[in-house]
Amino acid sequence: MHLVLDTHVVPLLTPKQRLSDYLCGIFLQLPSRKSVKVAIKRGAIYVDGKKGHTGDWVCPEQVVELIDLDDAPTKVLKLPMDVIYEDDAIAVVFKPAGIPVSGNQFRTIENALLHNITLSTKVDALKKPRAVHRLDAPTSGLLLIAKTKQARMHLGAQFEAKTIQKKYQAIVIGQPPAQGRFDTAINHKAALSHFECLQTVDSLKSGQLSLLNLYPKTGRTHQLRIHLSQAGFPILGDKLYGIQGLILKHKGLFLIAVALDFEHPITGERQAIKLPTPYKYTALLNREQRRYDAYDFE
C-alpha cells in the first residue's frame, strides 16, 4: 500500500471534464498542468481506488487520491559525489559526467544521493531526495536537489516559471562571435540560448577552440548541444552532435553546469552557487595553443 498524500472528493454539479484538466489547482503539490500530467503518467493519481488516466472523465462524488510514489524502499548506489551546499530542505551536488540523473537502471545520480546527503528532519521530508531538474548523462556540474515535499514543489514552480537562472561553460570547435543568441526551435518547440565567448585558441587538429559561457533560457532536451552544432560550433567531445574526426576520444563532453541562481524554497532568499572554470578546460586550451605555437609550418 502506498502512502496517500492528499484526497479530494469531486463536488456535486461538477461539469464533465477530463481528469488532466480537472486536477489543475486541486492539489497543492501539483501547481501546474504539466505537473498534473506527470503525476498521472507516473501512476500517482487514483480515482475510486484505481489508477487514473489523462483522458478519464471526472464524475461527481468520485474520490481522487494523490499517492506518494517515493515511499518505496530503494537500493543506495555507493558513488561518492561532492556536496556543494546542503541544508534541511535542499542540496546542491556536483554531478559527474557519464551517469544519468535518473532512469530505470540502478547506476543513477538519484540512487546515489542517500550515500552523499542526509535525509531532512522536517515533517514533509522526502524518503528519497530528488533532483528537481536534469543534466544530460555526459554533462557534469551543479544539480539542485529537493529534500522535502515543499522544496520540491516550490523549486518545480520556479523552473516552470523560468525564474531559475542557469549558467554552463563549454569548449566548442571554431570561434563564435563575442556574444549572441540561438533561437532555433527544437522538435517544433521554442528554444532560446544566450552565449558569450571568453577565449579562443589555435588548435592544430580543430583549427580553433573557444571557451564559452552559455545561458539556456528554455529547457529543451540537448538544447545547448543542438544549438551550438547547428550554428557550426559543436561542443568538443560531443559524440552525438559533433564533427566526425574532430571528436576527442576518451576525454568526455566539454560541457559543465557552473552556476545556479534561485530562490530558496524555505527562506525566500536568492541563492547563487558557482563553480570556477574546470582546470581540465583551461589546461586543454593552454596545451592546444602551446602545440600550435611550437609547430613548424615551414
Side-chain angles (χ1 to χ4, degrees):
M1 293 289 293
H2 286 299
L3 176 67
V4 177
L5 293 177
D6 207 346
T7 301
H8 170 78
V9 178
V10 181
L12 293 171
L13 304 179
T14 297
K16 193 175 182 181
Q17 298 179 63
R18 297 289 188 184
L19 182 63
S20 59
D21 295 325
Y22 177 77
L23 284 184
C24 291
I26 295 296
F27 293 128
L28 182 64
Q29 299 91 333
L30 305 177
S32 66
R33 182 177 299 274
K34 181 179 179 181
S35 63
V36 167
K37 289 184 175 180
V38 169
I40 295 174
K41 185 176 180 180
R42 292 182 68 214
I45 299 296
Y46 275 63
V47 180
D48 286 343
K50 298 180 181 179
K51 282 187 180 180
H53 301 89
T54 302
D56 289 348
W57 292 104
V58 172
C59 300
E61 298 188 303
Q62 284 181 322
V63 178
V64 184
E65 295 174 316
L66 176 61
I67 304 298
D68 185 3
L69 297 180
D70 297 330
D71 65 341
T74 183
K75 289 184 178 180
V76 176
L77 175 64
K78 294 182 178 179
L79 172 73
M81 290 187 294
D82 289 332
V83 179
I84 310 300
Y85 174 85
E86 182 176 11
D87 59 31
D88 211 22
I90 64 171
V92 177
V93 301
F94 183 88
K95 175 197 171 299
I99 302 176
V101 172
S102 61
N104 295 326
Q105 66 268 52
F106 173 58
R107 188 173 172 80
T108 66
I109 296 300
E110 286 198 337
N111 284 340
L113 289 177
L114 287 179
H115 183 67
N116 295 275
I117 63 178
T118 59
L119 287 173
S120 173
T121 60
K122 295 185 179 295
V123 294
D124 65 338
L126 293 172
K127 294 180 176 64
K128 294 185 291 186
R130 293 289 187 179
V132 294
H133 62 116
R134 295 289 180 263
L135 295 176
D136 294 345
T139 304
S140 61
L142 298 175
L143 186 66
L144 183 55
I145 309 298
K147 297 171 60 173
T148 69
K149 293 167 187 172
Q150 180 183 351
R152 189 179 186 186
M153 181 182 69
H154 196 292
L155 293 170
Q158 289 185 60
F159 273 106
E160 187 84 13
K162 298 180 175 59
T163 57
I164 293 182
Q165 299 172 21
K166 296 181 287 184
K167 173 182 168 183
Y168 292 72
Q169 287 191 328
I171 293 180
V172 303
I173 297 173
Q175 183 177 15
Q179 59 185 18
R181 55 183 276 163
F182 305 120
D183 56 11
T184 306
I186 296 176
N187 293 328
H188 308 292
K189 294 182 179 180
L192 175 63
S193 310
H194 292 177
F195 72 89
E196 54 188 355
C197 185
L198 303 178
Q199 179 187 5
T200 300
V201 302
D202 298 306
S203 169
L204 291 174
K205 183 176 182 180
S206 303
Q208 289 177 309
L209 295 174
S210 297
L211 176 65
L212 304 186
N213 279 340
L214 300 164
Y215 307 92
K217 302 303 180 181
T218 51
R220 308 305 175 203
T221 301
H222 297 177
Q223 176 175 313
L224 295 174
R225 298 165 67 184
I226 292 173
H227 271 164
L228 286 162
S229 178
Q230 289 177 339
F233 308 109
I235 298 175
L236 190 65
D238 196 334
K239 296 178 181 179
L240 193 57
Y241 303 105
I243 299 173
Q244 194 67 29
L246 292 181
I247 297 172
L248 218 56
K249 292 184 178 180
H250 312 302
K251 298 292 186 180
L253 178 70
F254 281 78
L255 176 64
I256 180 173
V258 294
L260 284 170
D261 189 293
F262 58 95
E263 181 182 293
H264 193 286
I266 306 302
T267 68
E269 297 179 355
R270 294 299 297 185
Q271 302 286 310
I273 299 177
K274 302 177 182 179
L275 295 175
T277 301
Y279 173 77
K280 172 185 175 180
Y281 287 33
T282 56
L284 175 99
L285 293 172
N286 292 336
R287 185 167 62 248
E288 288 294 302
Q289 186 65 60
R290 285 198 307 269
R291 287 176 177 173
Y292 184 89
D293 292 340
Y295 187 78
D296 187 356
F297 290 95
E298 294 183 2

